[in-house]
Amino acid sequence: MKHLKAVLFLTALIVAGLFAFRTYNARRFHLEQDTRFLMDTYVTIYAVGPASTTKPAIRKAFDRMQAVDEKFNIHNPESPLYAFNEAGTPITDPEILAVTRLALSVSRETDGAFDITISPLVDVWGFYGDDPAVPDDATIDAALERVGYDNLELAGGALRKRRPDVRIDLGGIAKGYVIGAAAETLKENGAPSALIDAGGDVYAMGAKGQTPWKVGIRNPRGDEILGYVEVMDLAVMGSGDYERFFMQEGRRYHHILDPQTGYPSEGTIAVNLFAADPLTADVWCTAVFVLGPEKGLEMVEKKAGMEAIVVAETGEKRLSSGLKRLLKALPQTE
Ligand code: ADP
Ligand code: MG
């Protein structure tokens, strides 16, 4: 009798323990998510962990994204970028300086294919206005005069102009930084396992509980899914000629410009770029787009931890060597 009681008690204890463990695990591996409209797109953040932690962490991450996005917006009169462009006020903001430093180093590495002083050219094409159109040659030449990263000086904790009419535009890089800032905020607030999806630009941080995150890779040209990759701490960013463009006389003119010619860059129609952090992925995505499939992929192959899919103007789809190994086919049922 005594023996039976002990067994019953033990069984009850084990059942209670298992139940508690399951509840504990369910809370620990709970997937919280929320969506906000930011940076012209729907951004969804997923975070693994107890809702009491992940909910406020996600909210703070969104708030931070909003603040950083506003700071990096050249059209916002409160932004240090606005004061720099309009009045030549040197920039000392540490976040903008960090991003600019990376931008300048990529400009040097790509012989100026990526160049944040592209702004006057973006203006004359009118990509952010209501009525974009092909400018005449003289207008393009005058804008090109002012383009060149050598016209910027970053030293002594400040970014200065070397000629008064230089302007900068962090449009090719800000999204990556904003996503990175959100990730940092999630981590600081106890949510280090999270995925941020900003309209297809994705950063997967940590793991999804006990498994890696699965990120579906869409054909950057078209709707079909090419497959998926299982990732931890990896960003996938996209650039395409379909994101912002206009048609004139049957030709497509898109918003990624070649600082050599002053025209939309030719040769590439889309790039997906994979790198350990979203800022690096975003800069290189735009850079590879301008460099074109040949030179672009050559650069990617040289860089540790970087992979890419490049769709050439011919429609040909090219994958970097590491990506061919990483990319998994979707199960037939999905
Ligand atoms: P999206 O804004 O569609 O995500 P990208 O990240 O490729 O696309 O960035 C495109 C933006 O980058 C343009 O709108 C413009 O502000 C800027 N840009 C265009 N050409 C260049 C270039 N050669 N170097 C740096 N930035 C560029
Ligand atoms: Mg970019």
Side-chain angles (χ1 to χ4, degrees):
M1 194 55 191
K2 214 175 170 188
H3 184 64
L4 185 65
K5 259 191 182 166
V7 168
L8 277 176
F9 177 71
L10 261 179
T11 312
L13 204 66
I14 290 167
V15 170
L18 276 177
F19 189 71
F21 184 69
R22 276 191 51 190
T23 325
Y24 167 74
N25 262 350
R27 284 183 46 208
R28 207 170 121 209
F29 298 120
H30 164 74
L31 187 66
E32 185 65 41
Q33 76 174 75
D34 201 3
T35 301
R36 257 197 224 179
F37 191 77
L38 267 167
M39 307 183 289
D40 258 348
T41 187
Y42 285 98
V43 181
T44 301
I45 299 180
Y46 305 83
V48 181
S52 55
T53 309
T54 47
K55 257 188 205 298
I58 290 176
R59 188 170 28 81
K60 283 178 192 158
F62 276 134
D63 290 347
R64 174 102 198 271
M65 287 180 103
Q66 203 142 0
V68 177
D69 184 37
E70 276 165 28
K71 180 159 59 172
F72 277 71
N73 180 357
I74 55 170
H75 306 293
N76 168 17
E78 308 288 315
S79 162
L81 293 169
Y82 188 88
F84 181 83
N85 282 341
E86 302 305 324
T89 315
I91 297 180
T92 54
D93 180 274
E95 287 187 299
I96 299 181
L97 290 189
V99 171
T100 307
R101 195 166 290 122
L102 177 67
L104 290 175
S105 83
V106 175
S107 293
R108 284 188 286 269
E109 267 186 276
T110 60
D111 269 331
F114 182 87
D115 192 331
I116 56 172
T117 64
I118 198 84
S119 183
L121 208 51
V122 177
D123 277 352
V124 297
W125 279 87
F127 279 109
Y128 290 94
D130 297 330
D131 196 19
V134 180
D136 59 47
D137 288 351
T139 309
I140 289 185
D141 287 346
L144 269 181
E145 248 324 274
R146 301 159 59 191
V147 175
Y149 63 97
D150 281 342
N151 297 329
L152 296 174
E153 182 183 278
L154 179 56
L159 179 73
R160 292 190 172 79
K161 292 184 177 186
R162 285 208 175 112
R163 51 180 287 169
D165 57 356
V166 69
R167 296 172 73 97
I168 60 174
D169 171 2
L170 299 177
I173 184 168
K175 204 190 229 177
Y177 185 78
V178 171
I179 294 174
E184 207 173 82
T185 304
L186 288 164
K187 212 188 271 180
E188 282 165 9
N189 287 279
S193 300
L195 187 138
I196 302 156
D197 181 351
D201 290 326
V202 172
Y203 177 50
M205 176 168 67
K208 189 187 179 185
Q210 287 158 311
T211 53
W213 294 99
K214 273 187 190 171
V215 178
I217 303 302
R218 209 185 323 156
N219 181 352
R221 190 64 146 195
D223 279 336
E224 97 258 26
I225 300 279
L226 294 176
Y228 69 94
V229 288
E230 288 185 319
V231 296
M232 286 166 63
D233 297 319
L234 196 84
V236 189
M237 303 290 290
S239 287
D241 67 355
Y242 47 84
E243 299 209 24
R244 201 184 275 272
F245 67 92
F246 65 90
M247 302 295 292
Q248 190 170 322
E249 285 159 24
R251 280 201 60 178
R252 180 197 289 259
Y253 297 92
H254 61 78
H255 73 322
I256 302 175
L257 302 168
D258 186 343
Q260 295 273 338
T261 63
Y263 271 74
S265 72
E266 288 179 18
T268 319
I269 57 181
V271 177
N272 276 347
L273 198 128
F274 302 65
D277 75 275
L279 177 61
T280 306
D282 198 9
V283 192
W284 279 102
C285 190
T286 308
V288 167
F289 192 104
V290 179
L291 287 171
E294 285 296 324
K295 275 197 201 157
L297 273 171
E298 214 173 276
M299 260 343 253
V300 170
E301 295 289 352
K302 274 195 236 158
K303 298 238 148 215
M306 205 178 279
E307 304 297 341
I309 301 176
V310 181
V311 184
E313 220 156 39
T314 54
E316 188 202 1
K317 198 165 52 209
R318 294 175 56 175
L319 275 67
S320 63
S321 51
L323 192 61
K324 287 182 194 154
R325 289 192 296 273
L326 274 175
L327 196 67
K328 296 193 167 78
L330 286 177
Q332 288 306 312
T333 49
E334 276 184 36

